[in-house]
Amino acid sequence: MGPEESMQIQSNLASTIAMAFDECPPYPAAREYMQNSVDRTTRWLKRCRTELTRLNQLEDTINKEQMLFGINQGGTFEDIRIEHAKVISEMDLNGYAIGGLAVGETHAQMYHIIEETVPYLPLEKPVYLMGVGTPENILEAVERGVDFFDCVYPSRNGRHGNAYTNRGKMNLLNAKYELDERPLDKECGCPTCKMYSRAYIRHLLKAKEMLGMRLLVLHNLYFYNHMMEEIREAIRDHRYQEYKKQKLEGFVRSED
Ligand SMILES: [Zn+2]
């Protein structure tokens, strides 16, 4: 597959946003490899734009308004990241993603790269951090200018017995929940927390009954979505710093 095929497939899927066809370089990667890879990603981005513009004009295209987001790469080399951000910003795309993070570097390195790169992306366009992350990662990235996210954590970790709550992450396979009749999180408004106890969910997981995983995924997706609502509200009310501090303090309280 190349950039043209990628655009054709995404055009057929008719998603709101098509993501550029890029290379996500491995971590760690040598500087020379990284520079060559980023240059190729830039060449591919131009081909993506040409092809998507063509597709959006075709009579039988389902979503003729399909947007194209470019993807910033450069690993942990800040100068390569910044240079690439400048080049793709000039292409005037609908939005921009930061890719190639959360691939093995430390959280501190990831936050640093976001901090260095975001100022070189257009302020009026959405910024999307790909494949991130924990509730803590999201709070830190929002502070550095990221608008949206995607991540497998709420679903994959849910299937592995984990629930995200305002008091941190809990693992329902833990024996201490065997007779615990309380909901996962009493502050949560999701259907799982309204109807099922920790003990019952644990029982379902132990019995390898699929419903246990589904209830946890439902709760986790609700938790993440609700947190994003809270974040938007806190930003609108100019109290994001205070909100973030409280939320982070909550995550490290040991859940009861
Ligand atoms: Zn819940």
Side-chain angles (χ1 to χ4, degrees), residues 164 184-185 188-194 215 218-220 222-223:
Y164 289 96
L184 294 173
D185 185 347
C188 177
C190 88
T192 301
C193 290
K194 279 186 192 155
L215 291 175
L218 178 60
H219 164 84
N220 285 344
Y222 186 99
F223 177 84

Side-chain angles (χ1 to χ4, degrees), residues 154-162 184 190-193 196 201 204-205 208-222:
S155 46
R156 188 177 65 198
N157 288 338
R159 293 196 303 274
H160 292 164
N162 295 294
L184 294 173
C190 88
T192 301
C193 290
Y196 302 96
I201 295 167
L204 292 172
L205 293 171
K208 308 227 180 292
E209 167 55 58
M210 187 60 80
L211 180 62
M213 297 185 200
R214 294 184 67 181
L215 291 175
L216 284 173
V217 172
L218 178 60
H219 164 84
N220 285 344
L221 292 176
Y222 186 99

Side-chain angles (χ1 to χ4, degrees), residues 3-223:
E4 288 78 17
E5 290 81 3
S6 169
M7 292 302 107
Q8 288 154 15
I9 292 166
Q10 294 184 76
S11 181
N12 284 335
L13 292 170
S15 56
T16 305
I17 299 163
M19 295 306 300
F21 186 75
D22 69 332
E23 185 194 3
C24 180
Y27 179 84
R31 189 182 169 88
E32 197 191 345
Y33 180 98
M34 188 61 74
Q35 187 63 63
N36 287 333
S37 168
V38 168
D39 291 343
R40 186 191 309 115
T41 285
T42 306
R43 292 195 300 274
W44 280 348
L45 179 58
K46 290 174 185 160
R47 286 167 58 183
C48 286
R49 187 175 58 173
T50 304
E51 180 64 2
L52 195 67
T53 304
R54 186 186 74 82
L55 291 164
N56 280 347
Q57 288 164 358
L58 294 182
E59 187 65 32
D60 58 351
T61 290
I62 309 163
N63 177 12
K64 296 185 180 63
E65 307 287 307
Q66 192 171 41
M67 294 186 268
L68 177 63
F69 276 28
I71 305 174
N72 171 260
Q73 292 287 358
T76 49
F77 299 100
E78 6 177 317
D79 58 328
I80 298 179
R81 282 270 177 196
I82 291 171
E83 189 50 38
H84 190 231
K86 288 181 187 171
V87 170
I88 62 177
S89 294
E90 280 171 17
M91 292 179 67
D92 194 30
L93 303 170
N94 302 105
Y96 291 90
I98 301 176
L101 289 178
V103 291
E105 80 286 354
T106 65
H107 283 167
Q109 279 176 306
M110 176 172 81
Y111 299 148
H112 176 71
I113 289 298
I114 299 168
E115 215 163 87
E116 293 294 319
T117 308
V118 170
Y120 294 93
L121 295 172
L123 187 64
E124 72 283 7
K125 302 276 175 74
V127 176
Y128 157 32
L129 180 58
M130 302 185 82
V132 175
T134 64
E136 291 89 342
N137 291 157
I138 290 177
L139 290 166
E140 296 294 346
V142 166
E143 188 176 11
R144 290 161 174 81
V146 176
D147 300 292
F148 59 93
F149 303 87
D150 80 290
C151 188
V152 297
Y153 282 173
S155 46
R156 188 177 65 198
N157 288 338
R159 293 196 303 274
H160 292 164
N162 295 294
Y164 289 96
T165 78
N166 282 323
R167 289 164 184 267
K169 196 167 76 168
M170 51 198 289
N171 191 324
L172 272 292
L173 290 167
N174 197 313
K176 68 179 171 182
Y177 301 122
E178 197 169 7
L179 299 171
D180 193 334
E181 290 299 326
R182 293 171 296 174
L184 294 173
D185 185 347
K186 64 177 185 322
E187 293 161 29
C188 177
C190 88
T192 301
C193 290
K194 279 186 192 155
M195 289 186 280
Y196 302 96
S197 69
R198 297 171 181 184
Y200 181 59
I201 295 167
R202 182 175 186 280
H203 156 73
L204 292 172
L205 293 171
K206 297 297 276 185
K208 308 227 180 292
E209 167 55 58
M210 187 60 80
L211 180 62
M213 297 185 200
R214 294 184 67 181
L215 291 175
L216 284 173
V217 172
L218 178 60
H219 164 84
N220 285 344
L221 292 176
Y222 186 99
F223 177 84

